[in-house]
Amino acid sequence: MNKRITILGSTGSIGKSTLNLLGVHPDKFEVFALTAKSKIDVLSTQCQQFNPNFAVVESEYHANQLQQKLAGAKLRTKILHGAAALQEVASAAEVDYVMASIVGAAGLLPTLAAARAGKRILLANKEALVMSGALFMKTIAEFGAELLPVDSEHNALFQCMPPGYKTGDTAANVDKIVLTASGGPFRSLPLEKFGSITPEQAIAHPNWSMGAKISVDSATMMNKGCEVIEAFWLFNLKMAQIDVIIHPQSIIHSMVCYKDGSMLAQLGSPDMQIPIAATLAWPDRINAPVKKLDLVDIGKLTFESVDATRFPALGLAYAAIQAGGTASTVLNAANEVAVEAFLARRLTFSAIVPLVNEVLERTNIEPASSYDVILEADRRARELANENMSAMTD
Ligand code: NAD
Ligand code: MG
């Protein structure tokens, strides 16, 4: 029987890569629901190709637009809108797998609905774990859901864990893990030029093609900071067991170091279809239409340590884990506001991380005792970030 999939955020970079794979394997997978915020043209084309049971958009206005575009297409697709509909298609009884690929905090509640319904969750939306790692992992365990990491580093680590390993467990005999980072587009840009970096420059990642927010996060290395937090929760390790190393070629996607001195790595082209295929088929394997590695052609793999002055975001992420409670919720929310402002040219590149730091310093961190506490901390951090920004630009 085909596995039925809901793709949350199907019009984004991860969503499109997922559909590309599903298109290659119509004998294995079927699309139950596609969701998007507002890219109706893309969603309409996807609906015509995959004929999902449901398509979900943000507003009634967008729903009407999609309805018009699909009029006469003779699809089975029902069009819904709003937050509750996202949760419904993520938790419906017919669904086997949920690809969680909405960007940012907006992905938390629908992903949580999938967790509470005990689904296999292919997790790209790292912000869900950064915001609410402890509670989220608890929910996964409580409802018997299966959490498979899509983020390339975490997928690499997951593949290098001992046989039978489940996310949330602490793997036996693992000494530490090493997350690789490309260093982004500004790994060697003179620091005095950071102030004048434009959104176009920040989005142009040297190795990966990704959505705007994660591309900016890669340029500040806040992405790697979030990934350290993501790894902390997924693999249930101590902070001191998580290292980050710069590997500019993005060929080794991360490494697990065992206590006998063995270091296991997963390698592949920088193409997200590889980790997505691994989660879709896990523990089996399926073909993926990707460029296979030619190591002789690549020739050299190099490594450097991270320059903490150039990339203060990483230290901030470690400090947020150390602080515990809602600290990483606040870090995530302030960063989302800062990145959005940078993309809208309301904030300079070099002000992004200081703004996040400022919001963290001005916030009383609380125990992350419930999702309500998390959502309130998220709301308050956004408010503070906006207040701080207006103070900076006044
Ligand atoms: P993207 O910006 O390309 O796509 C985001 C998707 O989310 C779109 O379909 C959009 O319609 C939807 N969306 C955005 N805001 C929404 C809202 N408020 N409500 C409902 N839907 C909304 O992003 P992406 O690059 O595909 O990244 C998606 C997630 O995957 C992020 O959490 C990112 O960190 C993670 N991720 C991405 C990559 C990558 O290569 N792109 C790699 C690793 C992890
Ligand atoms: Mg990653």
Side-chain angles (χ1 to χ4, degrees):
M1 180 101 162
N2 282 1
K3 295 293 179 192
R4 274 168 299 197
I5 306 189
T6 283
I7 303 181
L8 301 169
S10 66
T11 56
S13 161
I14 294 287
K16 286 180 188 164
S17 293
T18 307
L19 282 174
N20 205 38
L21 280 162
L22 300 189
V24 177
H25 296 285
D27 53 325
K28 293 189 171 66
F29 306 102
E30 201 177 306
V31 180
F32 178 75
L34 296 176
T35 89
K37 187 176 180 189
S38 53
K39 282 195 182 147
I40 300 307
D41 284 349
V42 181
L43 184 59
S44 153
T45 309
Q46 293 178 341
C47 286
Q48 296 187 52
Q49 188 182 349
F50 291 94
N51 194 12
N53 297 69
F54 293 95
V56 183
V57 290
E58 191 178 43
S59 66
E60 192 176 357
Y61 169 79
H62 292 114
N64 288 335
Q65 273 193 327
L66 184 61
Q67 194 82 57
Q68 278 171 23
K69 284 218 172 270
L70 294 180
K74 297 211 172 70
L75 302 178
R76 63 178 169 182
T77 312
K78 270 202 193 133
I79 300 171
L80 308 173
H81 68 270
L86 279 181
Q87 295 178 39
E88 277 161 33
V89 298
S91 59
E94 298 94 316
V95 174
D96 300 299
Y97 298 172
V98 174
M99 165 54 82
S101 56
I102 288 176
V103 60
L108 176 64
L109 294 179
T111 308
L112 204 52
R116 288 181 172 137
K119 305 299 184 194
R120 171 183 284 201
I121 299 173
L122 320 182
L123 187 74
N125 177 229
K126 68 190 84 185
E127 293 91 345
L129 274 180
V130 176
M131 285 177 80
S132 63
L135 280 174
F136 189 82
M137 294 309 292
K138 218 172 117 194
T139 307
I140 292 284
E142 194 179 332
F143 291 89
E146 185 184 19
L147 186 62
L148 302 180
V150 168
D151 210 348
S152 58
E153 297 75 4
H154 306 73
N155 187 266
L157 293 164
F158 182 69
Q159 292 196 41
C160 294
M161 286 290 174
Y165 175 79
K166 262 190 15 265
T167 51
D169 290 352
T170 304
N173 305 322
V174 167
D175 205 10
K176 64 174 187 174
I177 59 175
V178 182
L179 298 175
T180 52
S182 68
F186 310 129
R187 182 171 57 93
S188 45
L189 186 78
L191 278 179
E192 62 273 15
K193 295 201 170 152
F194 269 50
S196 56
I197 288 170
T198 64
E200 291 74 18
Q201 290 169 318
I203 286 173
H205 195 280
N207 304 338
W208 297 93
S209 153
M210 311 183 283
K213 194 253 176 184
I214 184 176
S215 297
V216 175
D217 284 348
S218 298
T220 58
M221 278 190 82
M222 185 60 87
N223 181 51
K224 209 50 57 180
C226 289
E227 290 183 353
V228 167
I229 301 175
E230 185 185 7
F232 177 80
W233 294 113
L234 279 173
F235 302 114
N236 203 3
L237 295 166
K238 297 195 175 65
M239 219 169 72
Q241 291 176 288
I242 307 174
D243 282 354
V244 175
I245 190 171
I246 302 265
H247 167 45
Q249 297 82 15
S250 300
I251 298 295
I252 295 183
H253 298 302
S254 280
M255 295 164 258
V256 176
C257 308
Y258 286 88
K259 66 184 183 194
D260 62 1
S262 292
M263 193 185 239
L264 301 196
Q266 184 260 359
L267 286 72
S269 302
D271 184 332
M272 288 306 293
Q273 288 184 98
I274 298 174
I276 296 169
T279 58
L280 282 169
W282 190 260
D284 205 352
R285 299 275 178 181
I286 51 172
N287 278 326
V290 300
K291 184 168 177 269
K292 302 287 157 61
L293 276 189
D294 180 339
L295 288 177
V296 172
D297 190 35
I298 292 162
K300 243 192 218 167
L301 300 178
T302 61
F303 306 93
E304 300 160 19
S305 52
V306 182
D307 176 349
T309 322
R310 178 175 290 266
F311 296 117
L314 198 56
L316 222 51
Y318 277 98
I321 304 179
Q322 183 83 55
T326 53
S328 57
T329 317
V330 172
L331 169 128
N332 179 66
N335 182 57
E336 283 190 28
V337 171
V339 170
E340 205 184 306
F342 167 67
L343 288 170
R345 296 173 213 275
R346 287 186 282 113
L347 190 73
T348 63
F349 182 82
S350 43
I352 296 175
V353 179
L355 178 65
V356 176
N357 186 36
E358 180 78 24
V359 173
L360 274 164
E361 277 180 358
R362 288 182 49 191
T363 303
N364 284 327
I365 303 306
E366 293 172 82
S369 49
S370 70
Y371 287 107
D372 285 344
V373 168
I374 300 275
L375 294 173
E376 176 57 19
D378 175 89
R379 193 195 60 74
R380 181 71 194 126
R382 283 168 200 270
E383 208 171 77
L384 257 178
N386 280 310
E387 274 171 34
N388 266 44
M389 248 185 326
S390 353
M392 280 160 70
T393 46
D394 275 350

PDB file of all heavy atoms in Angstrom, residues 360-386:
ATOM      1  N   LEU A 360      17.584  38.705  24.198  1.00  0.00           N
ATOM      2  CA  LEU A 360      17.857  37.679  25.211  1.00  0.00           C
ATOM      3  C   LEU A 360      18.241  38.328  26.542  1.00  0.00           C
ATOM      4  O   LEU A 360      17.778  37.904  27.600  1.00  0.00           O
ATOM      5  CB  LEU A 360      18.996  36.769  24.742  1.00  0.00           C
ATOM      6  CG  LEU A 360      18.581  35.589  23.862  1.00  0.00           C
ATOM      7  CD1 LEU A 360      19.796  34.995  23.152  1.00  0.00           C
ATOM      8  CD2 LEU A 360      17.865  34.513  24.685  1.00  0.00           C
ATOM      9  N   GLU A 361      19.052  39.375  26.476  1.00  0.00           N
ATOM     10  CA  GLU A 361      19.486  40.031  27.715  1.00  0.00           C
ATOM     11  C   GLU A 361      18.339  40.718  28.432  1.00  0.00           C
ATOM     12  O   GLU A 361      18.335  40.821  29.656  1.00  0.00           O
ATOM     13  CB  GLU A 361      20.603  41.038  27.412  1.00  0.00           C
ATOM     14  CG  GLU A 361      21.940  40.338  27.329  1.00  0.00           C
ATOM     15  CD  GLU A 361      23.097  41.274  27.022  1.00  0.00           C
ATOM     16  OE1 GLU A 361      22.862  42.489  26.831  1.00  0.00           O
ATOM     17  OE2 GLU A 361      24.229  40.760  26.969  1.00  0.00           O
ATOM     18  N   ARG A 362      17.376  41.197  27.684  1.00  0.00           N
ATOM     19  CA  ARG A 362      16.265  41.928  28.305  1.00  0.00           C
ATOM     20  C   ARG A 362      15.101  41.022  28.707  1.00  0.00           C
ATOM     21  O   ARG A 362      14.059  41.498  29.152  1.00  0.00           O
ATOM     22  CB  ARG A 362      15.770  43.021  27.352  1.00  0.00           C
ATOM     23  CG  ARG A 362      16.774  44.175  27.243  1.00  0.00           C
ATOM     24  CD  ARG A 362      16.269  45.271  26.334  1.00  0.00           C
ATOM     25  NE  ARG A 362      14.890  45.679  26.645  1.00  0.00           N
ATOM     26  CZ  ARG A 362      14.156  46.468  25.858  1.00  0.00           C
ATOM     27  NH1 ARG A 362      14.644  46.915  24.731  1.00  0.00           N
ATOM     28  NH2 ARG A 362      12.929  46.812  26.202  1.00  0.00           N
ATOM     29  N   THR A 363      15.266  39.700  28.529  1.00  0.00           N
ATOM     30  CA  THR A 363      14.145  38.794  28.816  1.00  0.00           C
ATOM     31  C   THR A 363      14.404  37.974  30.081  1.00  0.00           C
ATOM     32  O   THR A 363      15.512  37.501  30.295  1.00  0.00           O
ATOM     33  CB  THR A 363      13.950  37.820  27.624  1.00  0.00           C
ATOM     34  OG1 THR A 363      13.731  38.585  26.456  1.00  0.00           O
ATOM     35  CG2 THR A 363      12.772  36.900  27.848  1.00  0.00           C
ATOM     36  N   ASN A 364      13.356  37.821  30.874  1.00  0.00           N
ATOM     37  CA  ASN A 364      13.443  36.883  32.005  1.00  0.00           C
ATOM     38  C   ASN A 364      13.140  35.488  31.473  1.00  0.00           C
ATOM     39  O   ASN A 364      12.026  35.225  31.014  1.00  0.00           O
ATOM     40  CB  ASN A 364      12.399  37.213  33.070  1.00  0.00           C
ATOM     41  CG  ASN A 364      12.817  38.410  33.881  1.00  0.00           C
ATOM     42  OD1 ASN A 364      14.019  38.624  34.108  1.00  0.00           O
ATOM     43  ND2 ASN A 364      11.844  39.202  34.289  1.00  0.00           N
ATOM     44  N   ILE A 365      14.130  34.618  31.543  1.00  0.00           N
ATOM     45  CA  ILE A 365      13.931  33.269  31.030  1.00  0.00           C
ATOM     46  C   ILE A 365      13.130  32.456  32.043  1.00  0.00           C
ATOM     47  O   ILE A 365      13.418  32.481  33.237  1.00  0.00           O
ATOM     48  CB  ILE A 365      15.299  32.601  30.746  1.00  0.00           C
ATOM     49  CG1 ILE A 365      16.106  33.461  29.752  1.00  0.00           C
ATOM     50  CG2 ILE A 365      15.128  31.173  30.258  1.00  0.00           C
ATOM     51  CD1 ILE A 365      15.391  33.796  28.454  1.00  0.00           C
ATOM     52  N   GLU A 366      12.115  31.756  31.522  1.00  0.00           N
ATOM     53  CA  GLU A 366      11.252  30.958  32.411  1.00  0.00           C
ATOM     54  C   GLU A 366      11.399  29.479  32.099  1.00  0.00           C
ATOM     55  O   GLU A 366      11.819  29.122  30.994  1.00  0.00           O
ATOM     56  CB  GLU A 366       9.792  31.306  32.139  1.00  0.00           C
ATOM     57  CG  GLU A 366       9.376  32.692  32.507  1.00  0.00           C
ATOM     58  CD  GLU A 366       7.967  32.927  31.983  1.00  0.00           C
ATOM     59  OE1 GLU A 366       7.021  32.502  32.677  1.00  0.00           O
ATOM     60  OE2 GLU A 366       7.824  33.474  30.890  1.00  0.00           O
ATOM     61  N   PRO A 367      10.997  28.603  33.011  1.00  0.00           N
ATOM     62  CA  PRO A 367      10.967  27.177  32.665  1.00  0.00           C
ATOM     63  C   PRO A 367       9.962  26.963  31.522  1.00  0.00           C
ATOM     64  O   PRO A 367       8.899  27.577  31.517  1.00  0.00           O
ATOM     65  CB  PRO A 367      10.461  26.487  33.941  1.00  0.00           C
ATOM     66  CG  PRO A 367      10.633  27.487  35.033  1.00  0.00           C
ATOM     67  CD  PRO A 367      10.558  28.846  34.397  1.00  0.00           C
ATOM     68  N   ALA A 368      10.341  26.115  30.559  1.00  0.00           N
ATOM     69  CA  ALA A 368       9.455  25.867  29.413  1.00  0.00           C
ATOM     70  C   ALA A 368       8.432  24.814  29.818  1.00  0.00           C
ATOM     71  O   ALA A 368       8.481  23.666  29.383  1.00  0.00           O
ATOM     72  CB  ALA A 368      10.274  25.418  28.212  1.00  0.00           C
ATOM     73  N   SER A 369       7.475  25.213  30.654  1.00  0.00           N
ATOM     74  CA  SER A 369       6.608  24.227  31.301  1.00  0.00           C
ATOM     75  C   SER A 369       5.409  23.803  30.455  1.00  0.00           C
ATOM     76  O   SER A 369       4.817  22.767  30.708  1.00  0.00           O
ATOM     77  CB  SER A 369       6.128  24.789  32.639  1.00  0.00           C
ATOM     78  OG  SER A 369       5.631  26.084  32.436  1.00  0.00           O
ATOM     79  N   SER A 370       5.031  24.617  29.471  1.00  0.00           N
ATOM     80  CA  SER A 370       3.900  24.234  28.617  1.00  0.00           C
ATOM     81  C   SER A 370       4.040  24.941  27.271  1.00  0.00           C
ATOM     82  O   SER A 370       4.786  25.908  27.141  1.00  0.00           O
ATOM     83  CB  SER A 370       2.576  24.646  29.258  1.00  0.00           C
ATOM     84  OG  SER A 370       2.465  26.063  29.228  1.00  0.00           O
ATOM     85  N   TYR A 371       3.264  24.445  26.287  1.00  0.00           N
ATOM     86  CA  TYR A 371       3.289  25.109  24.982  1.00  0.00           C
ATOM     87  C   TYR A 371       2.744  26.531  25.090  1.00  0.00           C
ATOM     88  O   TYR A 371       3.164  27.416  24.345  1.00  0.00           O
ATOM     89  CB  TYR A 371       2.522  24.297  23.939  1.00  0.00           C
ATOM     90  CG  TYR A 371       3.275  23.048  23.518  1.00  0.00           C
ATOM     91  CD1 TYR A 371       2.869  21.784  23.927  1.00  0.00           C
ATOM     92  CD2 TYR A 371       4.417  23.144  22.722  1.00  0.00           C
ATOM     93  CE1 TYR A 371       3.568  20.640  23.543  1.00  0.00           C
ATOM     94  CE2 TYR A 371       5.124  22.010  22.341  1.00  0.00           C
ATOM     95  CZ  TYR A 371       4.692  20.764  22.750  1.00  0.00           C
ATOM     96  OH  TYR A 371       5.385  19.647  22.376  1.00  0.00           O
ATOM     97  N   ASP A 372       1.831  26.771  26.030  1.00  0.00           N
ATOM     98  CA  ASP A 372       1.331  28.138  26.210  1.00  0.00           C
ATOM     99  C   ASP A 372       2.447  29.070  26.646  1.00  0.00           C
ATOM    100  O   ASP A 372       2.546  30.207  26.174  1.00  0.00           O
ATOM    101  CB  ASP A 372       0.196  28.158  27.258  1.00  0.00           C
ATOM    102  CG  ASP A 372      -1.095  27.595  26.676  1.00  0.00           C
ATOM    103  OD1 ASP A 372      -1.169  27.507  25.428  1.00  0.00           O
ATOM    104  OD2 ASP A 372      -1.997  27.233  27.458  1.00  0.00           O
ATOM    105  N   VAL A 373       3.287  28.576  27.570  1.00  0.00           N
ATOM    106  CA  VAL A 373       4.424  29.390  28.028  1.00  0.00           C
ATOM    107  C   VAL A 373       5.356  29.676  26.842  1.00  0.00           C
ATOM    108  O   VAL A 373       5.839  30.798  26.645  1.00  0.00           O
ATOM    109  CB  VAL A 373       5.185  28.666  29.170  1.00  0.00           C
ATOM    110  CG1 VAL A 373       6.517  29.337  29.466  1.00  0.00           C
ATOM    111  CG2 VAL A 373       4.329  28.600  30.423  1.00  0.00           C
ATOM    112  N   ILE A 374       5.593  28.660  26.022  1.00  0.00           N
ATOM    113  CA  ILE A 374       6.471  28.811  24.855  1.00  0.00           C
ATOM    114  C   ILE A 374       5.903  29.856  23.891  1.00  0.00           C
ATOM    115  O   ILE A 374       6.612  30.754  23.429  1.00  0.00           O
ATOM    116  CB  ILE A 374       6.581  27.454  24.087  1.00  0.00           C
ATOM    117  CG1 ILE A 374       7.162  26.365  24.967  1.00  0.00           C
ATOM    118  CG2 ILE A 374       7.304  27.608  22.762  1.00  0.00           C
ATOM    119  CD1 ILE A 374       8.641  26.300  25.034  1.00  0.00           C
ATOM    120  N   LEU A 375       4.609  29.731  23.590  1.00  0.00           N
ATOM    121  CA  LEU A 375       4.010  30.646  22.611  1.00  0.00           C
ATOM    122  C   LEU A 375       3.991  32.079  23.137  1.00  0.00           C
ATOM    123  O   LEU A 375       4.202  33.035  22.387  1.00  0.00           O
ATOM    124  CB  LEU A 375       2.594  30.178  22.226  1.00  0.00           C
ATOM    125  CG  LEU A 375       2.577  28.836  21.456  1.00  0.00           C
ATOM    126  CD1 LEU A 375       1.145  28.351  21.251  1.00  0.00           C
ATOM    127  CD2 LEU A 375       3.310  28.947  20.112  1.00  0.00           C
ATOM    128  N   GLU A 376       3.803  32.219  24.443  1.00  0.00           N
ATOM    129  CA  GLU A 376       3.827  33.556  25.036  1.00  0.00           C
ATOM    130  C   GLU A 376       5.253  34.128  25.000  1.00  0.00           C
ATOM    131  O   GLU A 376       5.447  35.314  24.709  1.00  0.00           O
ATOM    132  CB  GLU A 376       3.268  33.493  26.479  1.00  0.00           C
ATOM    133  CG  GLU A 376       3.314  34.785  27.264  1.00  0.00           C
ATOM    134  CD  GLU A 376       2.595  35.972  26.594  1.00  0.00           C
ATOM    135  OE1 GLU A 376       1.746  35.745  25.701  1.00  0.00           O
ATOM    136  OE2 GLU A 376       2.914  37.130  26.956  1.00  0.00           O
ATOM    137  N   ALA A 377       6.255  33.296  25.263  1.00  0.00           N
ATOM    138  CA  ALA A 377       7.651  33.761  25.207  1.00  0.00           C
ATOM    139  C   ALA A 377       8.004  34.171  23.776  1.00  0.00           C
ATOM    140  O   ALA A 377       8.704  35.167  23.545  1.00  0.00           O
ATOM    141  CB  ALA A 377       8.588  32.657  25.689  1.00  0.00           C
ATOM    142  N   ASP A 378       7.496  33.419  22.817  1.00  0.00           N
ATOM    143  CA  ASP A 378       7.722  33.728  21.401  1.00  0.00           C
ATOM    144  C   ASP A 378       7.100  35.090  21.062  1.00  0.00           C
ATOM    145  O   ASP A 378       7.744  35.945  20.448  1.00  0.00           O
ATOM    146  CB  ASP A 378       7.102  32.604  20.551  1.00  0.00           C
ATOM    147  CG  ASP A 378       7.166  32.877  19.058  1.00  0.00           C
ATOM    148  OD1 ASP A 378       8.172  32.501  18.431  1.00  0.00           O
ATOM    149  OD2 ASP A 378       6.221  33.479  18.507  1.00  0.00           O
ATOM    150  N   ARG A 379       5.874  35.287  21.495  1.00  0.00           N
ATOM    151  CA  ARG A 379       5.162  36.544  21.196  1.00  0.00           C
ATOM    152  C   ARG A 379       5.879  37.741  21.817  1.00  0.00           C
ATOM    153  O   ARG A 379       6.122  38.755  21.185  1.00  0.00           O
ATOM    154  CB  ARG A 379       3.729  36.453  21.749  1.00  0.00           C
ATOM    155  CG  ARG A 379       2.776  37.526  21.275  1.00  0.00           C
ATOM    156  CD  ARG A 379       1.502  37.599  22.124  1.00  0.00           C
ATOM    157  NE  ARG A 379       1.762  37.900  23.528  1.00  0.00           N
ATOM    158  CZ  ARG A 379       2.120  39.088  23.990  1.00  0.00           C
ATOM    159  NH1 ARG A 379       2.257  40.120  23.173  1.00  0.00           N
ATOM    160  NH2 ARG A 379       2.349  39.276  25.277  1.00  0.00           N
ATOM    161  N   ARG A 380       6.252  37.582  23.074  1.00  0.00           N
ATOM    162  CA  ARG A 380       6.903  38.668  23.818  1.00  0.00           C
ATOM    163  C   ARG A 380       8.281  39.005  23.199  1.00  0.00           C
ATOM    164  O   ARG A 380       8.653  40.171  23.093  1.00  0.00           O
ATOM    165  CB  ARG A 380       7.034  38.221  25.284  1.00  0.00           C
ATOM    166  CG  ARG A 380       7.649  39.199  26.213  1.00  0.00           C
ATOM    167  CD  ARG A 380       6.735  40.411  26.497  1.00  0.00           C
ATOM    168  NE  ARG A 380       7.513  41.463  27.137  1.00  0.00           N
ATOM    169  CZ  ARG A 380       7.582  42.716  26.690  1.00  0.00           C
ATOM    170  NH1 ARG A 380       6.910  43.112  25.637  1.00  0.00           N
ATOM    171  NH2 ARG A 380       8.342  43.609  27.318  1.00  0.00           N
ATOM    172  N   ALA A 381       9.012  37.978  22.783  1.00  0.00           N
ATOM    173  CA  ALA A 381      10.340  38.218  22.187  1.00  0.00           C
ATOM    174  C   ALA A 381      10.208  38.971  20.867  1.00  0.00           C
ATOM    175  O   ALA A 381      11.025  39.834  20.544  1.00  0.00           O
ATOM    176  CB  ALA A 381      11.068  36.894  21.971  1.00  0.00           C
ATOM    177  N   ARG A 382       9.155  38.655  20.099  1.00  0.00           N
ATOM    178  CA  ARG A 382       8.937  39.381  18.837  1.00  0.00           C
ATOM    179  C   ARG A 382       8.641  40.844  19.114  1.00  0.00           C
ATOM    180  O   ARG A 382       9.138  41.744  18.439  1.00  0.00           O
ATOM    181  CB  ARG A 382       7.757  38.759  18.065  1.00  0.00           C
ATOM    182  CG  ARG A 382       8.159  37.481  17.387  1.00  0.00           C
ATOM    183  CD  ARG A 382       6.973  36.685  16.858  1.00  0.00           C
ATOM    184  NE  ARG A 382       7.415  35.321  16.682  1.00  0.00           N
ATOM    185  CZ  ARG A 382       7.956  34.844  15.554  1.00  0.00           C
ATOM    186  NH1 ARG A 382       8.054  35.601  14.494  1.00  0.00           N
ATOM    187  NH2 ARG A 382       8.395  33.607  15.496  1.00  0.00           N
ATOM    188  N   GLU A 383       7.813  41.076  20.148  1.00  0.00           N
ATOM    189  CA  GLU A 383       7.463  42.443  20.527  1.00  0.00           C
ATOM    190  C   GLU A 383       8.721  43.219  20.921  1.00  0.00           C
ATOM    191  O   GLU A 383       8.970  44.315  20.442  1.00  0.00           O
ATOM    192  CB  GLU A 383       6.517  42.328  21.732  1.00  0.00           C
ATOM    193  CG  GLU A 383       5.525  43.426  21.925  1.00  0.00           C
ATOM    194  CD  GLU A 383       4.550  42.991  23.029  1.00  0.00           C
ATOM    195  OE1 GLU A 383       4.916  43.041  24.234  1.00  0.00           O
ATOM    196  OE2 GLU A 383       3.440  42.550  22.669  1.00  0.00           O
ATOM    197  N   LEU A 384       9.533  42.589  21.778  1.00  0.00           N
ATOM    198  CA  LEU A 384      10.776  43.233  22.243  1.00  0.00           C
ATOM    199  C   LEU A 384      11.726  43.511  21.086  1.00  0.00           C
ATOM    200  O   LEU A 384      12.356  44.569  21.024  1.00  0.00           O
ATOM    201  CB  LEU A 384      11.495  42.299  23.230  1.00  0.00           C
ATOM    202  CG  LEU A 384      11.408  42.609  24.708  1.00  0.00           C
ATOM    203  CD1 LEU A 384      12.151  41.540  25.504  1.00  0.00           C
ATOM    204  CD2 LEU A 384      12.009  43.984  24.999  1.00  0.00           C
ATOM    205  N   ALA A 385      11.840  42.557  20.176  1.00  0.00           N
ATOM    206  CA  ALA A 385      12.741  42.729  19.035  1.00  0.00           C
ATOM    207  C   ALA A 385      12.280  43.922  18.208  1.00  0.00           C
ATOM    208  O   ALA A 385      13.086  44.756  17.793  1.00  0.00           O
ATOM    209  CB  ALA A 385      12.771  41.462  18.183  1.00  0.00           C
ATOM    210  N   ASN A 386      10.959  44.028  17.986  1.00  0.00           N
ATOM    211  CA  ASN A 386      10.442  45.158  17.205  1.00  0.00           C
ATOM    212  C   ASN A 386      10.661  46.471  17.932  1.00  0.00           C
ATOM    213  O   ASN A 386      11.040  47.466  17.319  1.00  0.00           O
ATOM    214  CB  ASN A 386       8.959  44.943  16.875  1.00  0.00           C
ATOM    215  CG  ASN A 386       8.809  43.982  15.696  1.00  0.00           C
ATOM    216  OD1 ASN A 386       9.458  44.164  14.659  1.00  0.00           O
ATOM    217  ND2 ASN A 386       7.995  42.955  15.850  1.00  0.00           N
TER     218      ASN A 386
END
